[in-house]
C-alpha cells in the first residue's frame, strides 16, 4: 500500500500537467478557428508553436511559418520577430542548427533595430546555445556574455539573471573546463536564489557546484554539497530532481568506497525513474550500479546490471550507451575469468565505438558544410544589398556632379593660381614630412613584426598543446584499448596451458609481465602529454603528481614547495609554465645524474619566481648555448614568450640551478 501511495504521489502531478496542457492547446485551436482578427491569429499561431515545440515539432514549424507569413502581409515587425524566434527554437530542438541560427540572426537584427534589449538578450542566448551544440566555444561565449551584460542592466538581482549566471557557470565547467570561473558564476547565481527564496533554483545551482567538486576529485566536499542540494528538493517534494541528486550522491559514494550508501542512493533513484517511466534514466542507474559492482568485485551482479543497461540502450537506440554497456560487460566477464566472452564483448565495444566515431565525424563534416553554405548565402545577400546601395549612391553622385560642374569650373583658375604660388614652400615641407613619415613607418613595421612574432609563438604553443592532447587521448584510448584486448587473449591462453608445458608457460608469463609494463608506460606518457590536470586542479597539483611519478620510478627524489600560490593563474599561462618546468625536469633526468631535485614557486606582488635546483653533475652553460642545445633553446623561447627572465647557474661537478622570473 505504501508503494502504491508513493507511485501515485509521483505520477498524479504528471497526469494533471498533461491534462492542463491538452486543455490549453484545445482552447487555442478553438480560438484560432473563431477569430477574424489577423493579429489575434498570428498571436495564437505563435503560442501553438511554442506549446508544441518539443512534442510535435513538425506541427509547431507549420504554425510558426504561418504566423511569419501573416506578419509579413500586414508588415508587423514585432510579431514577425516572435515567429522567427518560435521557428528558431523548434529547429534547434530538431537539430537543424544552421537554419535555427539564421532565424535567430534575422530576429536579432529586428530586435536591435527596434531597441528591444530583452529580445536582443534572448536571441544572443539562443545563438550561444547553438554554437555550444556545435562545439564552437569562442562565438558561444561571446553570445552568452552579450546576453549577460544586457540582463545585468535590465534585471539586476532577478531570477532571470540568476539563471543566466547558472547557465554561464555550467558552460565554463563543461565546455571550457575553467572550474574557478564556473564556481564564481554559480556562487553569484546562488546568492540571488537565496535572496529571492527560490529553493528549487538554489538546489539546482548547489547540484552543479557539487559536480565541479566531484570532477576535481574532492569527493568528501562534493558529497556534502550534494546532500545540501538533496535537502532542498526533499523539502519541495521534487522527486525528479531528488533522483538526479541521488544519482550524483551514489556515484560520489562509490568513489569514496562507501558502497552500501552508494547502492542505497542508486536504488532510491531507480524507483523514481521507474515510476516516471523514464527508460533512459533507468538505464543510466543500471550502468551506475554496474560500475559500483565492478568496484566491489561483485562481477556476477555487475553482469546482470550491465545486461539490463544494454537491453534498455538497444530499445532506445542510444549508440553511446550501447558502447558503454559493451565495455562494462567485457570487464565483468574478465573479472569472472570468462575470457572468451570478455573478448566477444571487447570486440563488440571496439566495433560499436569505431562506428559511432565515424558517424560523429560525418555529422561534423555535414554540419561544417551546412554552416559554410549558410555563411556563403548570407555573404551573397550582403553583396547584393551592397551593390544595390552602390548603384543608388552612384546615381546620387551623378546628379550632384552635374549640379556642381559649373561651380567647379569657376574655381579651377583660382585653385591653380594658389597651387603655383605655394608650390615652392610646400615642396620643402613635403620633403621634411616624407622623412618623418618614413621614420614612423619603420617604427610601425618593427612593432608589427614583434606583434606578429608573438602571434606566431602563441599559435605554435596552442598547436603543440592540441597535438599533445590528441596524442595523449589516442595513446590512452586506441592504443590502451588494443593492449587491453591483447591482455584478454593472454589471460584466455593462460587457462588453456597444460601443466607439463613449463617452459612455454614461463615464456608466456614473461610476455605478460612485459605487456603490463608497456601498458603502464603508455599510461604515464599519455598523462605527461595531457595538461588536463593543470586545467582542472592547477599547476601545483600537476607538479606534485609529476614529482610522485618520478619518485615511483626510483629515478630521484623530488621536492615541490610553493608560497602564496593559493590563487590560480590564467589557464594558458599555467600550462606554459608547467611545460617549461617539465622540460627542465626532463633535461635533469636525461643528463644530470642527480639524486635530488628541488622545485620552488613563489608568487610575489607583480611576478612569479621559479627555482629548479638539482645535485647532479652540472654542465658548462656557455658551451651548451654555443652548441645550440635544443632543450635550453626551447626553455628560453617559452620564458621569453611569457615576458620573463631566465638564468642558468651551473658548473661541472656542482649541480645546476635554473631561476625564472615571470611578470604576472
Amino acid at each position: 500500500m505504501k508503494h502504491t501511495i508513493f507511485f501515485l504521489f509521483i505520477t498524479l502531478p504528471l497526469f494533471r500537467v498533461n491534462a492542463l496542457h491538452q486543455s490549453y492547446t484545445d482552447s487555442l485551436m478553438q480560438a484560432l478557428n473563431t477569430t477574424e482578427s489577423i493579429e489575434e491569429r498570428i498571436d495564437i499561431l505563435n503560442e501553438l508553436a511554442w506549446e508544441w515545440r518539443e512534442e510535435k515539432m513538425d506541427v509547431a514549424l507549420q504554425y510558426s511559418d504561418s504566423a511569419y507569413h501573416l506578419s509579413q502581409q500586414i508588415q508587423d515587425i514585432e510579431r514577425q520577430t516572435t515567429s522567427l524566434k518560435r521557428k528558431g527554437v523548434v529547429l534547434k530542438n530538431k537539430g537543424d542548427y544552421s537554419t535555427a541560427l539564421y532565424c535567430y540572426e534575422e530576429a536579432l537584427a529586428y530586435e536591435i533595430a527596434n531597441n528591444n534589449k530583452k529580445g536582443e538578450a534572448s536571441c544572443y542566448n539562443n545563438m550561444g546555445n547553438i554554437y555550444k551544440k556545435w562545439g564552437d566555444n569562442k562565438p558561444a561565449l561571446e553570445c552568452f556574455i552579450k546576453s549577460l551584460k544586457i540582463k545585468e542592466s535590465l534585471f539586476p538581482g532577478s531570477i532571470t539573471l540568476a539563471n543566466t549566471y547558472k547557465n554561464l557557470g555550467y558552460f565554463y565547467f563543461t565546455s571550457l573546463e575553467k572550474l574557478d570561473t564556473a564556481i564564481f558564476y554559480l556562487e553569484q547565481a546562488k546568492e540571488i536564489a537565496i535572496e529571492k527564496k527560490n529553493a528549487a533554483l538554489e538546489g539546482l545551482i548547489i547540484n552543479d557546484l557539487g559536480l565541479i567538486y566531484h570532477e576535481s576529485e574532492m569527493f568528501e566536499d562534493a558529497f556534502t554539497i550534494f546532500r545540501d542540494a538533496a535537502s532542498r528538493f526533499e523539502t519541495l517534494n521534487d522527486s525528479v530532481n531528488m533522483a538526479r541528486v541521488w544519482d550524483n550522491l551514489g556515484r560520489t559514494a562509490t568513489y569514496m568506497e562507501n558502497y552500501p550508501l552508494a547502492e542505497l542512493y542508486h536504488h532510491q533513484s531507480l524507483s523514481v525513474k521507474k515510476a516516471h517511466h523514464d527508460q533512459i534514466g533507468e538505464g543510466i542507474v543500471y550502468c551506475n550500479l554496474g560500475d559500483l559492482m565492478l568496484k566491489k568485485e561483485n562481477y556476477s551482479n555487475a553482469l546482470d546490471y550491465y545486461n539490463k543497461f544494454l537491453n534498455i540502450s538497444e530499445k532506445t537506440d542510444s549508440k553511446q550507451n550501447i558502447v558503454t554497456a559493451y565495455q562494462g560487460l567485457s570487464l565483468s566477464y574478465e573479472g569472472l575469468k570468462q575470457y572468451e566472452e570478455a573478448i566477444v564483448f571487447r570486440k563488440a565495444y571496439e566495433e560499436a565505438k569505431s562506428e559511432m566515431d565515424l558517424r560523429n565525424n560525418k555529422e561534423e563534416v555535414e554540419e561544417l558544410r551546412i554552416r559554410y553554405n549558410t555563411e556563403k548565402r548570407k555573404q551573397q545577400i550582403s553583396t547584393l544589398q551592397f551593390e544595390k546601395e552602390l548603384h543608388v549612391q552612384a546615381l546620387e553622385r551623378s546628379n550632384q556632379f552635374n549640379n556642381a560642374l559649373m561651380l567647379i569650373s569657376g574655381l579651377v583658375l583660382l585653385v591653380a593660381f594658389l597651387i603655383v604660388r605655394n608650390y615652392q614652400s610646400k615642396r620643402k615641407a613635403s620633403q621634411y614630412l616624407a622623412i618623418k613619415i618614413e621614420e614612423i613607418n619603420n617604427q610601425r613595421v618593427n612593432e608589427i613584426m614583434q606583434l606578429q612574432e608573438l602571434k606566431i609563438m602563441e599559435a605554435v604553443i596552442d598547436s603543440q598543446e592540441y597535438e599533445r592532447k590528441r596524442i595523449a587521448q589516442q595513446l590512452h584510448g586506441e592504443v590502451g584499448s588494443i593492449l587491453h584486448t591483447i591482455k584478454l587473449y593472454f589471460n584466455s591462453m593462460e587457462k588453456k596451458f597444460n601443466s607439463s608445458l613449463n617452459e612455454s608457460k614461463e615464456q608466456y608469463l614473461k610476455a605478460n609481465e612485459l605487456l603490463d609494463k608497456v601498458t603502464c608506460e603508455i599510461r604515464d606518457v599519455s598523462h605527461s602529454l595531457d595538461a588536463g590536470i593543470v586545467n582542472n586542479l592547477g599547476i601545483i597539483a600537476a607538479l606534485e603528481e609529476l614529482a610522485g611519478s618520478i619518485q615511483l620510478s626510483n629515478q630521484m627524489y623530488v621536492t615541490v614547495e610553493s608560497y602564496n600560490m593559493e590563487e590560480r593563474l590564467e589557464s594558458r599561462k599555467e600550462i606554459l609554465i608547467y611545460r617549461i618546468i617539465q622540460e627542465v625536469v626532463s633535461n635533469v633526468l636525461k643528463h644530470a645524474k642527480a639524486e635530488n631535485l628541488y622545485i620552488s614557486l613563489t608568487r610575489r606582488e607583480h611576478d612569479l619566481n621559479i627555482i629548479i635546483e638539482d645535485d647532479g653533475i652540472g654542465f658548462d652553460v656557455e658551451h651548451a648555448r654555443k652548441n645550440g642545445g635544443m632543450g635550453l633553446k626551447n626553455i628560453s623561447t617559452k620564458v621569453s614568450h611569457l615576458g620573463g627572465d631566465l638564468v642558468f647557474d651551473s658548473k661541472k661537478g656542482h649541480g645546476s640551478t635554473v631561476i625564472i622570473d615571470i611578470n604576472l
Side-chain angles (χ1 to χ4, degrees):
M1 181 66 183
K2 184 167 69 175
H3 295 298
T4 306
I5 292 169
F6 177 67
F7 177 80
L8 289 172
F9 168 74
I10 291 170
T11 55
L12 276 174
L14 287 178
F15 294 141
R16 185 172 62 188
V17 169
N18 288 335
L20 287 170
H21 171 70
Q22 187 62 49
S23 173
Y24 181 56
T25 53
D26 287 345
S27 65
L28 286 173
M29 288 300 300
Q30 187 177 0
L32 182 66
N33 293 328
T34 57
T35 185
E36 294 181 1
S37 166
I38 295 179
E39 287 83 358
E40 286 182 11
R41 287 185 65 81
I42 295 168
D43 292 340
I44 293 168
L45 287 166
N46 278 330
E47 189 65 16
L48 283 166
W50 179 257
E51 286 297 314
W52 294 118
R53 67 191 182 280
E54 292 176 351
E55 295 175 51
K56 297 180 180 179
M57 289 182 276
D58 289 332
V59 174
L61 273 180
Q62 290 175 6
Y63 287 138
S64 62
D65 279 334
S66 297
Y68 180 78
H69 292 309
L70 284 174
S71 302
Q72 277 188 318
Q73 287 176 21
I74 63 172
Q75 296 182 340
D76 189 326
I77 300 298
E78 185 177 345
R79 287 183 168 87
Q80 189 175 334
T81 305
T82 302
S83 305
L84 282 167
K85 290 196 281 189
R86 294 289 185 268
K87 185 175 181 179
V89 76
V90 178
L91 288 166
K92 186 174 68 173
N93 291 342
K94 283 174 68 71
D96 187 353
Y97 300 127
S98 98
T99 313
L101 184 64
Y102 184 76
C103 288
Y104 282 120
E105 285 175 339
E106 194 174 342
L108 177 64
Y110 289 134
E111 300 288 26
I112 292 171
N114 293 324
N115 198 29
N116 182 2
K117 291 295 182 182
K118 184 179 177 182
E120 192 179 332
S122 171
C123 289
Y124 278 129
N125 187 63
N126 281 292
M127 288 162 63
N129 282 321
I130 292 171
Y131 283 119
K132 180 184 172 184
K133 289 280 187 183
W134 269 331
D136 209 346
N137 291 332
K138 186 176 179 181
L141 182 60
E142 289 173 357
C143 288
F144 287 143
I145 294 295
K146 285 177 181 178
S147 177
L148 173 66
K149 295 300 180 187
I150 294 170
K151 288 177 181 177
E152 282 179 331
S153 64
L154 290 180
F155 315 111
S158 67
I159 293 299
T160 299
L161 183 59
N163 275 307
T164 304
Y165 282 139
K166 176 187 178 298
N167 293 337
L168 190 56
Y170 198 71
F171 176 68
Y172 269 104
F173 167 48
T174 56
S175 300
L176 301 179
E177 297 180 358
K178 293 187 176 180
L179 305 188
D180 289 344
T181 311
I183 290 171
F184 169 76
Y185 281 114
L186 288 172
E187 288 291 352
Q188 284 192 296
K190 184 181 169 186
E191 284 180 18
I192 296 173
I194 292 170
E195 185 181 339
K196 296 292 183 182
K197 295 184 171 63
N198 190 322
L201 179 58
E202 188 183 348
L204 292 171
I205 294 164
I206 293 169
N207 183 64
D208 286 352
L209 286 166
L211 291 171
I212 293 175
Y213 281 93
H214 181 97
E215 182 70 18
S216 303
E217 299 184 5
M218 299 167 68
F219 299 119
E220 298 282 350
D221 293 331
F223 190 83
T224 302
I225 292 168
F226 285 136
R227 278 297 307 138
D228 189 17
S231 68
R232 303 295 193 279
F233 298 126
E234 285 163 8
T235 304
L236 296 167
N237 290 326
D238 185 344
S239 59
V240 173
N241 280 316
M242 271 197 293
R244 180 191 297 182
V245 181
W246 284 337
D247 281 335
N248 294 332
L249 281 163
R251 280 191 288 266
T252 306
T254 299
Y255 279 99
M256 293 164 61
E257 299 184 357
N258 190 337
Y259 300 137
L261 192 59
E263 196 165 358
L264 173 65
Y265 279 123
H266 284 314
H267 278 293
Q268 283 181 320
S269 174
L270 186 62
S271 65
V272 175
K273 301 289 173 65
K274 285 182 175 179
H276 282 277
H277 305 290
D278 179 4
Q279 276 199 311
I280 294 175
E282 191 180 333
I284 296 300
V285 178
Y286 284 132
C287 180
N288 290 332
L289 285 165
D291 294 344
L292 171 60
M293 293 303 147
L294 280 183
K295 287 271 189 180
K296 291 174 67 175
E297 298 182 2
N298 187 340
Y299 300 114
S300 296
N301 281 352
L303 198 63
D304 181 49
Y305 285 127
Y306 283 126
N307 270 316
K308 289 178 179 178
F309 178 44
L310 179 62
N311 289 335
I312 290 174
S313 300
E314 287 175 337
K315 283 179 187 175
T316 55
D317 196 29
S318 174
K319 303 298 184 187
Q320 178 61 62
N321 289 348
I322 289 170
V323 169
T324 305
Y326 284 152
Q327 187 179 30
L329 287 165
S330 176
L331 292 170
S332 301
Y333 278 118
E334 183 182 351
L336 291 167
K337 301 191 185 304
Q338 297 179 25
Y339 297 114
E340 291 185 3
E341 290 86 349
I343 289 168
V344 168
F345 280 104
R346 189 73 194 181
K347 283 183 175 178
Y349 160 74
E350 288 170 358
E351 287 172 6
K353 188 174 184 301
S354 297
E355 183 183 336
M356 187 179 68
D357 290 343
L358 183 63
R359 187 176 64 253
N360 289 341
N361 288 338
K362 285 181 178 177
E363 287 174 358
E364 285 177 11
V365 170
E366 180 62 17
E367 280 182 2
L368 286 171
R369 187 188 66 78
I370 291 169
R371 289 170 68 186
Y372 169 76
N373 288 336
T374 302
E375 290 299 323
K376 187 177 178 182
R377 184 179 61 193
K378 284 163 61 179
Q379 189 64 40
Q380 287 171 344
I381 292 169
S382 298
T383 303
L384 288 171
Q385 289 175 341
F386 181 67
E387 287 175 353
K388 183 179 177 182
E389 288 173 6
L390 284 179
H391 181 66
V392 172
Q393 289 173 8
L395 288 173
E396 289 176 355
R397 282 198 299 269
S398 178
N399 291 333
Q400 290 170 359
F401 176 76
N402 290 332
N403 293 334
L405 185 59
M406 294 303 295
L407 178 62
I408 292 170
S409 300
L411 292 172
V412 166
L413 291 173
L414 178 61
V415 171
F417 172 74
L418 292 172
I419 288 171
V420 171
R421 185 175 178 181
N422 294 297
Y423 174 73
Q424 292 297 329
S425 59
K426 283 187 176 180
R427 185 178 178 184
K428 291 180 181 179
S430 297
Q431 289 173 346
Y432 175 77
L433 185 61
I435 293 168
K436 287 296 178 185
I437 288 171
E438 187 176 359
E439 290 175 0
I440 292 167
N441 284 340
N442 288 336
Q443 185 179 349
R444 285 180 179 171
V445 167
N446 290 332
E447 289 173 357
I448 290 167
M449 287 179 69
Q450 289 174 0
L451 184 62
Q452 193 65 25
E453 285 176 5
L454 283 174
K455 286 183 178 178
I456 291 168
M457 175 62 74
E458 285 181 3
V460 168
I461 290 166
D462 287 344
S463 175
Q464 287 175 341
E465 283 304 319
Y466 173 80
E467 195 62 18
R468 284 173 186 268
K469 192 175 184 70
R470 187 189 65 78
I471 294 169
Q473 289 172 343
Q474 193 169 14
L475 282 173
H476 184 71
E478 296 177 21
V479 179
S481 178
I482 292 167
L483 287 173
H484 189 84
T485 305
I486 294 170
K487 179 74 174 174
L488 288 176
Y489 278 109
F490 267 70
N491 289 337
S492 179
M493 288 166 57
E494 185 177 4
K495 291 185 71 177
K496 297 176 183 177
F497 265 117
N498 189 301
S499 58
S500 63
L501 300 175
N502 291 329
E503 185 178 347
S504 297
K505 189 167 185 178
E506 185 179 343
Q507 291 174 349
Y508 157 79
L509 291 172
K510 182 64 177 175
N512 204 12
E513 181 185 338
L514 289 170
L515 180 60
D516 287 337
K517 188 176 179 181
V518 168
T519 304
C520 291
E521 288 287 341
I522 285 176
R523 187 184 64 243
D524 291 343
V525 170
S526 68
H527 285 172
S528 69
L529 284 170
D530 190 2
I533 190 171
V534 183
N535 274 327
N536 292 338
L537 300 180
I539 189 169
I540 302 303
L543 289 173
E544 286 171 350
E545 185 187 61
L546 177 64
S549 65
I550 292 171
Q551 284 166 199
L552 282 174
S553 66
N554 295 318
Q555 295 180 75
M556 62 183 175
Y557 185 78
V558 184
T559 303
V560 178
E561 292 185 357
S562 62
Y563 305 93
N564 196 27
M565 290 293 294
E566 293 79 14
E567 187 179 343
R568 292 281 300 273
L569 304 176
E570 189 268 324
S571 177
R572 177 184 280 184
K573 188 169 284 189
E574 277 197 339
I575 292 171
L576 193 51
I577 292 169
Y578 176 73
R579 291 296 182 211
I580 292 167
I581 296 172
Q582 193 181 42
E583 196 149 1
V584 174
V585 172
S586 176
N587 284 343
V588 172
L589 287 169
K590 287 178 185 175
H591 309 297
K593 298 180 182 178
E595 294 181 1
N596 296 284
L597 180 67
Y598 170 78
I599 302 171
S600 164
L601 283 82
T602 303
R603 185 169 186 162
R604 298 183 292 223
E605 188 175 357
H606 300 297
D607 66 354
L608 175 69
N609 174 255
I610 303 166
I611 298 173
I612 307 164
E613 191 171 8
D614 69 74
D615 60 357
I617 60 175
F619 67 100
D620 187 329
V621 177
E622 290 304 318
H623 178 75
R625 279 178 174 155
K626 286 177 182 176
N627 284 274
M630 285 302 296
L632 297 187
K633 186 176 180 182
N634 287 339
I635 294 164
S636 299
T637 302
K638 287 174 181 173
V639 172
S640 175
H641 174 69
L642 287 171
D645 296 318
L646 172 67
V647 175
F648 289 103
D649 184 10
S650 181
K651 291 180 182 178
K652 285 191 175 182
H654 292 83
S656 304
T657 302
V658 179
I659 302 170
I660 304 168
D661 289 302
I662 294 170
N663 293 327
L664 297 178

